[in-house]
Amino acid sequence: MFNGGMATTSTEIELPDVEPAAFLALLKFLVEMQRAHCTTLGDLTGLPLQARLFDEPQLASLCLENIDKNTADAITAEGFTDIDLDTLVAVLERDTLGIREVRLFNAVVRWAEAECQRQQLQATPDNKRAVLGQALALIRFPLMTIEEFAAGPAQSGILVDREVVSLFLHFTVNPKPRVEFIDRPRCCLRGKECSINRFQQVESRWGYSGTSDRIRFSVNKRIFVVGFGLYGSIHGPTDYQVNIQIIHTDSNTVLGQNDTGFSCDGSASTFRVMFKEPVEMLPNVNYTACATLKGPDSHYGTKGLRKVTHESPTTGAKTCFTFCYAAGNNNGTSVEDGQIPEVIFYT
């Protein structure tokens, strides 16, 4: 009916010998089979759109999860530049893409160039920005390094001068000014964010003179650390500059770090400071958590626990942390007292 010499030229094709429900089941089966073999966005070009047309949000979700798992292949596939804007937006909105943001930006520029050609426009920076529309705001420029941003997006002409200046200030100044672009990490992780707190009580006055607060820890299973919860000022609302790191203790290799800042409200709460990318922790390996703060005296934790267990409320799975003293310069932080009360992670 569709191909060869006998193919119909009609816009409608009647199938008189099959029940509608049965034929719809066949179509869903065929789409599901196609999805099962998809590994890249080139294969998935029209599938999220088809899933929306068939009113199959679950299928669309499965397609996008497949893209999460194969992001690098997906964005370099030839078919990536053929997707429609709605599908591009659906991909860029995801928190779970496993790719450096600068590579995502480069792929989006390729898509914009192809879209300009489709619309018979010159591929100028202004036209590329115009065809991207709302998709541009979904690029998380703050997740790039300053070198990545300077070498690519800053010189692309797609961002206006005000945006470029704002982002350079974000990279270089603390406390960081607000930017128009999302700074939430793409975790490339599924599941629910978890956290543990190693202290049972909070006290006042912990000082900073340039020395890092450090604590060693290990965990009983593979996890991904996405940030720390830190204590803030005892003097009311304040901004801090901070460098956070996770170090492989035995090799002294820095596995993840971020130079950033955070604002606190003067309460004894903890305040989130996140890595730009998740840091993988392997079971029964020693790591050192470090935080170097610049700011006024803060609250600190006491009655620290050597072992802290997080139990999943849904599965009951247990993640067990063991904390140890980090010898050397540690600004006084230990198992019993100090900074770095919280570890924020995914299992």
Side-chain angles (χ1 to χ4, degrees), residues 195-200 202 231 270 305 308 323 341-343:
S195 67
I196 54 101
N197 192 316
R198 65 191 188 92
F199 293 120
Q200 302 176 84
V202 182
Y231 292 120
T270 57
L305 300 168
V308 182
F323 293 93
E342 282 187 347
V343 180

Side-chain angles (χ1 to χ4, degrees), residues 14 41 104 187:
E14 288 190 18
L41 195 56
L104 199 57
C187 290

Side-chain angles (χ1 to χ4, degrees), residues 138-344:
L138 300 175
I139 299 292
R140 304 184 186 187
F141 295 102
L143 301 187
M144 299 179 186
T145 66
I146 189 171
E147 293 82 8
E148 289 171 339
F149 179 73
Q155 299 183 52
S156 68
I158 293 175
L159 296 173
V160 299
D161 290 347
R162 171 181 50 79
E163 292 166 336
V164 172
V165 170
S166 172
L167 284 160
F168 270 125
L169 288 173
H170 174 83
F171 289 124
T172 56
V173 172
N174 282 307
K176 297 194 175 300
R178 183 183 168 279
V179 289
E180 299 172 27
F181 298 95
I182 302 166
D183 61 0
R184 185 174 66 252
R186 296 192 195 268
C187 290
C188 33
L189 304 169
R190 285 147 290 282
K192 188 171 170 148
E193 182 182 285
C194 310
S195 67
I196 54 101
N197 192 316
R198 65 191 188 92
F199 293 120
Q200 302 176 84
Q201 190 171 312
V202 182
E203 298 287 351
S204 291
R205 203 167 297 269
W206 197 260
Y208 304 99
S209 58
T211 302
S212 300
D213 286 274
R214 296 154 60 92
I215 189 73
R216 278 175 52 196
F217 72 97
S218 62
V219 67
N220 71 325
K221 63 196 289 188
R222 180 176 180 244
I223 66 168
F224 293 86
V225 174
V226 294
F228 299 142
L230 302 179
Y231 292 120
S233 173
I234 58 174
H235 301 297
T238 312
D239 293 322
Y240 282 85
Q241 292 177 238
V242 61
N243 171 274
I244 56 171
Q245 294 185 341
I246 291 181
I247 297 171
H248 183 275
T249 306
D250 292 343
S251 66
N252 205 35
T253 303
V254 176
L255 303 178
Q257 69 169 334
N258 194 14
D259 278 301
T260 183
F262 70 94
S263 299
C264 64
D265 59 10
S267 71
S269 304
T270 57
F271 300 90
R272 293 160 63 92
V273 182
M274 309 301 281
F275 292 101
K276 289 192 174 185
E277 293 183 319
V279 185
E280 182 182 20
M281 309 279 99
L282 298 177
N284 307 312
V285 175
N286 287 320
Y287 299 98
T288 305
C290 304
T292 311
L293 281 80
K294 185 176 180 183
D297 291 351
S298 74
H299 296 90
Y300 70 96
T302 64
K303 297 188 178 178
L305 300 168
R306 187 168 293 276
K307 291 185 181 291
V308 182
T309 299
H310 177 276
E311 184 171 344
S312 168
T314 52
T315 66
K318 293 182 178 179
T319 307
C320 303
F321 289 78
T322 302
F323 293 93
C324 304
Y325 181 75
N329 294 329
N330 53 34
N331 200 41
T333 283
S334 66
V335 173
E336 293 78 20
D337 307 286
Q339 257 286 13
I340 320 179
E342 282 187 347
V343 180
I344 306 166

